[in-house]
Amino acid sequence: LDGVSRCERPLIPSLPSPTAEVCIGVLLLLILYNYWFLYIPYLTWLYLDWRTPEQGGRRSDWVRSWAVWKYFKDYFPIHLIKTKDLDPSHNYIFGFHPHGVLVAGAFGNFCTNYSDFKKLFPGFTAYLHVLPIWFRCPLFREYLMSSGPVSVSKRSVSHVLSKEGGGNISIIVLGGAEESLDAHPGKFTLFIRQRKGFVKIALTHGAYLVPVFSFGENELFKQVSNPEGSLLRTVQDKLQKIMGFALPLFHARGVFQYNFGLVPYRKPIHTVVGHPIPVHQTLHPTPEQIEELHQTYMEELRKLFEEHKGKYGIPEQDTLVFK
């Protein structure tokens, strides 16, 4: 589903997670050293639990309340700003922009218990949708689900938006891996023009659309120059199409010095939730209906950016670039 299945995961969205690699290594060691009494029960569980990431996941308030997430939120710091009350009798799709390298705003605001989400949006449950590949990674999938993310597959999004009586929010990072390659400080390039799958699924379920812009998301890292047409960008694009995730070459600060390293810069992130766009349920939307709603969404997203950019130090002449 274009615009849904091509969206990204939290934490380190454009790179394979080191935690995932460690989990795979642990399982391989168990198999190599024949700890069958550990890996056979787990693999059996994995088989039986395979569809859980598409059925609302399995979040843990204990994991979401780990102190590390408070330090994570306060490091930048991360803020959540509401511009309009939402009616909990509806389900919603939050289109999250921009992707950036880390997607820190999406994770910090919607996957931990230290954000103001519950205070600002009482009666709602948020689901951050991430690439299905991460739920196929043994052991790591359990850790990932515990903080709240679910798969970005069509079946998973439909499950969230099918809740009777409303109160569910699907958060989808619409720009995906492609957009992460254009995540440069001071730049606001969004891959949105061809992302229309989220509009179709919104129409199908009657889910209201809400544009979300995370100011400061692109300021956390500096990326090696990779203009379109360059050898580096060509290689990155090909790898992204093959593997499903991007490999941006980025740097920031170190732990004890500010000159070079992989620790993100301490730049404030303000995630602004825009006004909801009412959507009338249409089980079989036409291309014209999808296009009309998609245009409305882009207009509201641009309006949101223009209304708030001055508050966060963005020059008047800077604007969004839709690709």
Side-chain angles (χ1 to χ4, degrees):
L1 182 66
D2 186 25
V4 173
S5 61
R6 295 168 64 180
C7 301
E8 276 297 320
R9 57 209 175 279
L11 289 181
I12 305 180
S14 301
L15 296 172
S17 169
T19 308
E21 295 170 357
V22 170
C23 289
I24 293 174
V26 169
L27 184 63
L28 289 176
L29 286 175
L30 292 177
I31 294 173
L32 286 174
Y33 287 95
N34 199 29
Y35 286 92
W36 60 268
F37 52 90
L38 293 177
Y39 73 77
I40 287 182
Y42 177 73
L43 292 178
T44 302
W45 161 259
L46 183 63
Y47 174 78
L48 296 174
D49 194 57
W50 192 251
R51 294 295 182 187
T52 298
E54 295 184 334
Q55 298 170 347
R58 185 171 50 249
R59 67 183 61 201
S60 164
D61 273 340
W62 175 65
V63 173
R64 290 167 61 92
S65 298
W66 282 355
V68 66
W69 304 134
K70 181 181 186 302
Y71 294 124
F72 176 83
K73 173 183 176 291
D74 293 342
Y75 172 80
F76 298 100
I78 298 172
H79 306 277
L80 185 64
I81 295 94
K82 179 179 71 172
T83 61
K84 184 77 172 180
D85 288 336
L86 301 183
D87 184 351
S89 66
H90 295 292
N91 294 314
Y92 295 82
I93 293 179
F94 280 13
F96 187 93
H97 312 269
H99 183 288
V101 173
L102 192 64
V103 198
F107 182 81
N109 282 312
F110 304 117
C111 294
T112 78
N113 288 338
Y114 293 102
S115 80
D116 292 329
F117 176 79
K118 286 296 184 182
K119 180 175 70 174
L120 296 176
F121 301 101
F124 285 96
T125 303
Y127 296 85
L128 179 60
H129 294 274
V130 308
L131 276 182
I133 188 173
W134 297 109
F135 297 108
R136 297 167 190 157
C137 179
L139 300 177
F140 177 73
R141 69 191 294 274
E142 321 304 337
Y143 159 72
L144 183 58
M145 274 195 291
S146 65
S147 55
V150 293
S151 172
V152 77
S153 68
K154 180 180 178 180
R155 179 179 297 181
S156 176
V157 178
S158 293
H159 177 88
V160 172
L161 299 180
S162 296
K163 181 185 178 184
E164 293 291 335
N168 276 357
I169 300 174
S170 285
I171 297 101
I172 305 174
V173 187
L174 296 175
E178 286 181 278
E179 193 172 282
S180 70
L181 298 177
D182 279 315
H184 298 279
K187 302 296 182 182
F188 307 99
T189 301
L190 305 182
F191 284 69
I192 183 67
R193 292 194 182 278
Q194 302 305 315
R195 292 341 198 236
K196 299 180 183 179
F198 75 101
V199 175
K200 182 177 181 180
I201 203 167
L203 284 165
T204 302
H205 290 276
Y208 285 22
L209 290 174
V210 182
V212 177
F213 197 90
S214 196
F215 293 89
E217 200 77 47
N218 282 351
E219 311 301 316
L220 307 185
F221 296 93
K222 293 179 181 178
Q223 199 170 159
V224 175
S225 180
N226 58 346
E228 291 191 16
S230 66
L231 177 60
L232 174 59
R233 184 57 175 267
T234 300
V235 172
Q236 288 175 320
D237 287 340
K238 287 185 178 180
L239 288 174
Q240 184 268 319
K241 290 177 181 178
I242 293 172
M243 299 184 297
F245 50 80
L247 294 171
L249 298 179
F250 60 88
H251 65 88
R253 54 164 290 184
V255 178
F256 300 110
Q257 46 79 29
Y258 292 86
N259 296 323
F260 189 83
L262 296 179
V263 179
Y265 293 116
R266 294 192 73 174
K267 301 288 186 178
I269 297 172
H270 295 87
T271 302
V272 183
V273 180
H275 290 203
I277 303 170
V279 177
H280 178 71
Q281 185 174 21
T282 308
L283 295 180
H284 302 287
T286 65
E288 292 75 20
Q289 289 172 316
I290 295 172
E291 182 64 31
E292 181 182 0
L293 183 54
H294 187 256
Q295 288 297 322
T296 300
Y297 178 85
M298 290 196 297
E299 290 169 6
E300 288 297 318
L301 175 58
R302 187 180 295 279
K303 181 180 177 181
L304 176 69
F305 178 81
E306 293 296 331
E307 285 183 354
H308 294 273
K309 67 181 183 182
K311 302 175 186 177
Y312 307 114
I314 298 174
E316 181 63 30
Q317 68 272 18
D318 287 358
T319 187
L320 296 180
V321 177
F322 292 153
K323 298 180 70 173

